[in-house]
Amino acid sequence: METSQVALAINKSYLPANNDEELKFFMDEEITKIISFQKSHPAYTKTPLVTLPRLADYLNISDLTIKDESYRFDLNAFKVLGGMYAIGKYLAKQLGKDIAELSFQELKSEEVQKQVGQLTFISATDGNHGKGVAWAARELGQKAIIYLPKGSAETRLQAIENEGAEAKVTDVNYDETVQLCAKLANENGWVMVQDTAWDGYDEIPLWIMQGYATIAKEIIDELIETEEDAPTHIFLQAGVGSFAAGIAGYFTQFYRGNAPKIIVVEPHQANCYYRSFSNQTGAMEIVTGDLDSIMAGLCCGAPNTRAFRILSQYASASVSLSDRIAALGMRVLGNPLQDDPKIVSGESGAAVATGLLYYLQKNDIKQVKKDLGLDESSRVLCINTEGDTDEIHYRDIVWGGKYSL
């Protein structure tokens, strides 16, 4: 079903119980090692997992739970989990050691600095990934150079520079900025730290996805500890798909044949998964052009090839959304019902999925809810991947009513 605001594509390749080779990278044993490294940083804390019972009642579902990554390392976004593990893993590999044997403090020691020297890590970003890479490089005594696509907000550029990186806005879109960084890395002997993969560049993107998967482990560990039921549905934002695939990979391997239903959500302007799921062959499609959406963190036209392999098997559907849906979700989460907790969600955060859920209920769009298997017994999980990373734009939307329906 399609409207001007919402378009749904059911994934015909969905194999919820398949034992796939890709899942071995997201087994609990592997992710436990990774989260142990992340926890070795003194600023590590587990982010909140909160329920919104009043909003769940309004949406006519059993439960709505949100993991709020805006509290992660005081960086207002989740991306650092991938960047810090990828850089740490790279340094460990240079030392010929297993990262499971190393702590964050050991990797930033003078002894390690002497052995590996001064390295330069380069990355393309819409904001949060670059900020995480810059933070991790600085914390580990290394250098970072970050490029942002045209149209990036000045506040995002400044936030990256504040983490000690050299940063610049290009005059091309995100995917072309990635290509520029890959060229510069090759010419200068720099290390590319990108959360998208292509032929010949797959190892570091996998490390980043594994770093993201620790969010899923935190969630499941808490659900087990509190004796709460697992979600039936997980809505995951997708740009290149690295975050969504990392979460989907861990949940799928953990629950196997009883895994929650994974639904990808993405902007109309950069809906590569929606288009891929919509075609008859299930082949990966690439979106070109300016990719101009308020969901800046999701404005990526070319999927991560490994992420696509995972999501093309384990995501049941993709929903393509207008900017107005994301803006709606920002206002809903920022103005909670009764005693529900307030959640500050940026344009690419949990607002994307929450806006969709609210829109479907408010407008009584029964067919989409039926196609997604949403009913009064559904337990929905969303992940707030960013807070108000662009504070001025956040206020323009939540206070000023910009992008109103």
Side-chain angles (χ1 to χ4, degrees):
M1 180 175 180
E2 186 168 341
T3 70
S4 62
Q5 306 299 333
V6 172
L8 170 67
I10 300 298
N11 179 15
K12 301 178 183 65
S13 302
Y14 180 41
L15 297 168
N18 190 42
N19 292 318
D20 186 83
E21 180 71 11
E22 297 289 350
L23 295 184
K24 69 182 181 183
F25 300 109
F26 301 95
M27 300 300 287
D28 185 64
E29 181 180 359
E30 186 68 24
I31 304 305
T32 295
K33 295 177 183 177
I34 295 168
I35 201 170
S36 294
F37 170 72
Q38 293 167 338
K39 286 180 176 179
S40 72
H41 191 284
Y44 171 90
T45 56
K46 185 173 67 173
T47 53
L49 184 66
V50 299
T51 58
L52 289 80
R54 307 302 181 186
L55 183 55
D57 287 345
Y58 179 88
L59 298 174
N60 196 31
I61 58 178
S62 175
D63 180 73
L64 176 61
T65 301
I66 296 181
K67 175 75 162 171
D68 194 351
E69 289 295 302
S70 68
Y71 291 90
R72 186 68 70 179
F73 285 102
D74 292 327
L75 291 173
N76 212 5
F78 80 105
K79 287 279 191 175
V80 65
L81 291 173
M84 71 186 297
Y85 177 64
I87 293 178
K89 179 81 169 178
Y90 184 87
L91 294 175
K93 190 173 181 180
Q94 295 300 107
L95 296 168
K97 295 184 177 181
D98 186 341
I99 195 170
E101 304 169 2
L102 298 166
S103 70
F104 211 92
Q105 297 303 313
E106 288 173 305
L107 282 179
K108 64 186 296 185
S109 67
E110 289 185 14
E111 180 183 351
V112 168
Q113 299 292 318
K114 289 176 183 178
Q115 290 184 63
V116 301
Q118 178 76 61
L119 300 176
T120 297
F121 295 92
I122 185 171
S123 187
T125 184
D126 287 304
N128 295 332
H129 171 68
K131 186 178 178 182
V133 169
W135 179 92
R138 186 201 67 220
E139 288 289 292
L140 288 166
Q142 305 297 337
K143 182 180 179 182
I145 298 176
I146 309 296
Y147 282 78
L148 296 88
K150 67 176 180 181
S152 296
E154 180 68 21
T155 53
R156 296 185 187 274
L157 177 71
Q158 291 176 354
I160 292 169
E161 290 176 334
N162 290 343
E163 299 300 332
E166 178 184 326
K168 180 181 179 181
V169 177
T170 69
D171 58 359
V172 294
N173 70 18
Y174 172 81
D175 295 301
E176 293 168 315
T177 303
V178 171
Q179 295 169 17
L180 171 63
C181 288
K183 179 175 180 291
L184 290 171
N186 185 58
E187 291 173 349
N188 294 283
W190 298 338
V191 183
M192 183 86 167
V193 182
Q194 204 61 48
D195 60 351
T196 190
W198 56 85
D199 289 342
Y201 183 74
D202 186 69
E203 188 174 52
I204 289 178
L206 172 60
W207 296 344
I208 292 173
M209 292 166 63
Q210 290 176 311
Y212 296 160
T214 60
I215 296 171
K217 178 168 177 54
E218 280 189 359
I219 293 169
I220 291 175
D221 285 351
E222 185 166 341
L223 291 176
I224 292 172
E225 182 182 344
T226 57
E227 300 182 344
E228 296 290 334
D229 291 333
T232 59
H233 297 70
I234 307 177
F235 287 81
L236 298 170
Q237 305 88 287
V240 299
S242 297
F243 158 74
I247 304 300
Y250 187 83
F251 266 92
T252 301
Q253 67 79 28
F254 191 89
Y255 289 107
R256 284 293 169 176
N258 197 33
K261 185 173 289 189
I262 305 294
I263 297 107
V264 172
V265 285
E266 46 188 346
H268 282 334
Q269 297 90 330
N271 54 2
C272 48
Y273 283 91
Y274 168 81
R275 295 190 190 193
S276 300
F277 292 174
S278 295
N279 66 41
Q280 295 301 309
T281 65
M284 186 175 78
E285 292 201 15
I286 295 174
V287 179
T288 59
D290 288 341
L291 312 178
D292 185 21
S293 166
I294 66 169
M295 293 171 262
L298 310 181
C299 284
C300 313
N304 173 328
T305 51
R306 184 185 295 274
F308 184 80
R309 291 198 299 269
I310 294 170
L311 293 172
S312 64
Q313 293 181 83
Y314 301 123
S316 64
S318 172
V319 185
S320 177
L321 306 169
S322 75
D323 285 352
R324 297 179 188 277
I325 296 294
L328 174 63
M330 293 167 68
R331 288 189 283 270
V332 169
L333 291 174
N335 299 274
L337 293 169
Q338 300 175 48
D339 55 351
D340 275 0
K342 174 183 176 180
I343 296 176
V344 176
S345 173
E347 300 86 339
S348 301
V352 182
T354 306
L356 167 65
L357 294 168
Y358 181 89
Y359 180 80
L360 295 178
Q361 179 65 19
K362 181 72 173 177
N363 294 279
D364 196 25
I365 304 179
K366 294 185 175 68
Q367 189 58 51
V368 173
K369 294 176 70 174
K370 181 179 179 181
D371 290 341
L372 293 176
L374 284 170
D375 57 33
E376 62 276 3
S377 67
S378 298
R379 300 183 302 277
V380 175
L381 169 67
C382 303
I383 301 175
N384 189 33
T385 49
E386 66 169 15
D388 52 348
T389 51
D390 185 346
E391 293 182 15
I392 295 174
H393 200 230
Y394 179 86
R395 288 197 298 270
D396 285 345
I397 292 171
V398 176
W399 291 7
K402 198 173 182 180
Y403 300 101
S404 172
L405 280 169

